[in-house]
Amino acid sequence: MRKFWKRILGGCLVMLLSWTWGSAQVHAETLNPAKPVLPSAVPTQKTNLPPLKNPVKSQEVKGLNLKNNVKPISKAKLSVNAEPKFQGVPLTCYLSLVQSTEGNPENQLFSLTEIATKYTEAEQLTKAAETLDKAITYLPKIDRPAVQAYATVEVASYYAKAAQKQKSSLLLNQALNLVKGFTNNTDQIFATIKIAHEYKELGQTDKSGRLLGQALRYVDAVPDDYVKSRAYAAIASGFNEVKQPNQTAQALVQGIQYAQKITDKSPKVRALTEIAGAYAESGEHAKAIASLTNAFNILDAPKDKSSDKSSDQDKTPELPTEIFKPRALALIANKYVSTAQYDRALQVIDNMDKASIEKPVALIGLASKYIEVGQLDKATEILDRSLAGLLSLPDSLDKAVTLVEVGKQYNLAKQPKQAIDVLDRTLSIASKLEQPLEKVFGFTNIAAVYTEVGETEKAGKTLDGGLLIVNSDRSLSDRPRMIADLSGLYWSVGRHDKALELAKSITNPAEQEPILKLFECAK
């Protein structure tokens, strides 16, 4: 369960949920304490990209997926009382489907929180809160304590975004009581840090600081130096959030001390990199660079086999230097971006290898933040740099997916012409990919963003291209899911007959039934 809490804490390290109407799973993974939080040697996504703040993700669910990249509705086109839609289907239809579907409590709860999130994005906070009220009825039915605590914190966070601070605070207190009963100290540490962060988001900084102090006391009982070092780095980030610089500095000193005790090269490098990230957040640029330099020096040093007494089973898989360094720099840049140190972030990005895709990805993250704060000209300038870097790289699915995100961000920066131009270029690249699965994945992502920019005709034609590939190769392992995904996307561009035709061709009733119910409700 430790990874479950760690991965929801910092930067671009996002916990991924596979969510479906019929078979949602919350991946509460068991953690080996030696495993890294920085990108590991084993990719967890269909592409090798590090996560973006708003990535263009693969279609991870059957049927219509509230987690893909189609925005539910344009705020500019949404009247106060209009019912928001997702993929052309009113959110009330999704809500009715969830409530009429039997499933385990975790599935139902996380489905409802996704719907609440869409209401919040559409600025319909009352409906968001009402949906969350339905979601919390499932909390007592979750029998895994760590999952129940995580779910409680997540719903509390959603309540806060829906302007329900009192309900949020009450749920955080419930989560805290659950965490106190954890038998695993590492779980307690990272859960407590997360709860402290949520209290800080509510403006309760004193309580947040006290909880971080509690997390420090939990650290004493942890035997693993790597876990201790990471815990101190995370606690330091928390203290920095609540403006307690002395506690921040003390936690980082302790983090370094334990990092130096780590004998396994790979986790030691990762621990020092996370400490560098915490220093970056706190504005200690020189110390951030020193810690990162130390990490890189250890990474580059020849392996001393005589001093390595750990078994292969205990070792953390090593990430190749050419992959780790740009990702580590991307992590540091993200820390600077998250704390509005944009010039520092750009300095770090400028030092990244131009042959690495992580550099344009990091630029997208910076541009996204400039969009968020309303500096659209600066965002456009950064996106231009990201685009130039991407176009210089060899064609690949990673390149295509990242270009789609550039197009998405251009649109958000009020540059629709640039967005469409990028999508047109990306379509040409995706068309030349060798693997049919990659082509279809590229086409569906491109079509989704074409829809966002209002190019529904181009979106439809792109979907036709994807469907042609799916129909021409019936041996594709993911063919049923592709059909379901294409069906939903066809509905979103207004081609309802084609959407229904595809939905009716799905042979698995468990996949077909919810899609047809949504379409019927949306008519």
Side-chain angles (χ1 to χ4, degrees), residues 378-434:
K378 190 68 176 177
T380 301
E381 176 187 330
I382 298 297
L383 288 171
D384 290 344
R385 288 187 54 184
S386 179
L387 176 60
L390 282 167
L391 293 177
S392 70
L393 299 176
D395 289 349
S396 66
L397 177 60
D398 285 354
K399 175 178 175 177
V401 169
T402 311
L403 281 168
V404 170
E405 183 65 20
V406 171
K408 183 184 183 84
Q409 295 299 322
Y410 268 130
N411 187 50
L412 294 174
K414 310 300 183 187
Q415 300 293 336
K417 290 184 179 179
Q418 286 94 322
I420 294 168
D421 179 66
V422 170
L423 293 173
D424 290 345
R425 293 190 187 193
T426 308
L427 184 59
S428 176
I429 293 169
S431 300
K432 298 173 185 176
L433 296 174
E434 294 184 3

Side-chain angles (χ1 to χ4, degrees), residues 88-110:
V89 177
L91 291 184
T92 51
C93 295
Y94 292 97
L95 186 58
S96 297
L97 181 60
V98 173
Q99 293 180 291
S100 66
T101 303
E102 292 186 6
N104 72 51
E106 295 165 27
N107 300 349
Q108 302 298 87
L109 184 142
F110 286 106

Side-chain angles (χ1 to χ4, degrees), residues 211-271:
L211 286 176
L212 292 168
Q214 180 62 56
L216 282 174
R217 290 188 287 276
Y218 288 142
V219 176
D220 293 336
V222 176
D224 187 274
D225 291 332
Y226 174 57
V227 175
K228 278 189 172 181
S229 178
R230 287 205 52 254
Y232 279 121
I235 291 168
S237 294
F239 276 129
N240 183 63
E241 280 191 327
V242 296
K243 312 298 182 186
Q244 295 189 21
N246 292 336
Q247 289 87 337
T248 300
Q250 291 171 13
L252 285 171
V253 168
Q254 290 176 299
I256 291 173
Q257 289 175 352
Y258 283 104
Q260 298 296 355
K261 294 180 181 180
I262 300 170
T263 56
D264 191 0
K265 176 178 178 179
S266 198
K268 186 169 189 171
V269 168
R270 287 174 166 87

